[in-house]
Amino acid sequence: MPQSLAHLGLHIVFSTKNRRSWLESSALRDSLYAYISGVLRGHDSPAVIIGGTSNHIHVLCLLSRKITVAELIKETKRTATLWLREKTPDCRDFQWQAGYAAFSVSASSMEQVRQYILHQEEHHREMDFSGEFRKLLEKHGIEYDERYVWD
């Protein structure tokens, strides 16, 4: 077979530094998600959906065969930080947390994850980001040390 083909669904989650509510404005979040979507597209990793709340985001995308997960997330966070600092005077000191979580998503689960991300604001009326993050890590069988998860 001369072609190399892949369908690599990826669910990425990361928060603002110290879960500070930098992204209160839904208009700012929508602009940020559109910007991040463009960054992902530029790396041949198109976004399926991006969502979140004032202090974190979820990205569901298709990972390109040409970039690693770590490279994609590093570049996304770096350029989004620069964009936010330039776009909004109140965000001159904006930072993301140092880490992230990334989960593989099968083709058969893409719609379920898309719906989960679509309804983030509703979901967070009942559970804060820290609880959600722990739940996702446990669901995916990822061991973690509380001392190093939060910054």
Side-chain angles (χ1 to χ4, degrees):
M1 176 165 81
Q3 283 184 310
S4 298
L5 305 170
H7 181 278
L8 304 171
L10 185 64
H11 178 190
I12 304 164
V13 184
F14 53 88
S15 77
T16 59
K17 180 88 171 167
N18 298 315
R19 269 98 22 239
R20 184 171 167 188
S21 294
W22 287 99
L23 310 173
E24 286 284 348
S25 162
S26 60
L28 177 61
R29 284 197 306 270
D30 289 344
S31 294
L32 174 64
Y33 302 160
Y35 178 80
I36 289 173
S37 182
V39 171
L40 294 168
R41 193 171 38 257
H43 290 286
D44 297 322
S45 299
V48 174
I49 189 170
I50 301 172
T53 66
S54 65
N55 67 2
H56 74 282
I57 68 169
H58 291 256
V59 175
L60 178 60
C61 66
L62 297 175
L63 181 66
S64 170
R65 297 177 297 104
K66 302 173 191 172
I67 193 167
T68 67
V69 171
E71 290 169 330
L72 182 66
I73 296 170
K74 179 181 177 183
E75 185 63 12
T76 300
K77 289 168 70 174
R78 184 187 71 77
T79 58
T81 297
L82 294 174
W83 182 85
L84 277 164
R85 288 177 179 175
E86 288 176 13
K87 173 135 175 93
T88 309
D90 293 342
C91 290
R92 274 187 233 123
D93 297 323
F94 178 86
Q95 294 180 56
W96 295 112
Q97 73 175 110
Y100 62 86
F103 311 103
S104 61
V105 180
S106 67
S108 62
S109 297
M110 292 290 282
E111 182 57 24
Q112 180 182 357
V113 175
R114 192 184 80 73
Q115 288 296 320
Y116 178 78
I117 293 171
L118 183 65
H119 297 286
Q120 274 294 292
E121 291 198 34
E122 286 174 32
H123 178 71
H124 285 288
R125 287 187 193 119
E126 298 176 17
M127 181 183 296
D128 68 5
F129 172 71
S130 299
E132 175 192 41
F133 198 71
R134 284 183 193 98
K135 190 174 177 180
L136 283 168
L137 294 173
E138 290 164 6
K139 176 181 177 182
H140 290 275
I142 297 175
E143 293 183 23
Y144 61 96
D145 186 328
E146 284 281 339
R147 296 174 296 173
Y148 305 109
V149 173
W150 315 111
D151 70 342

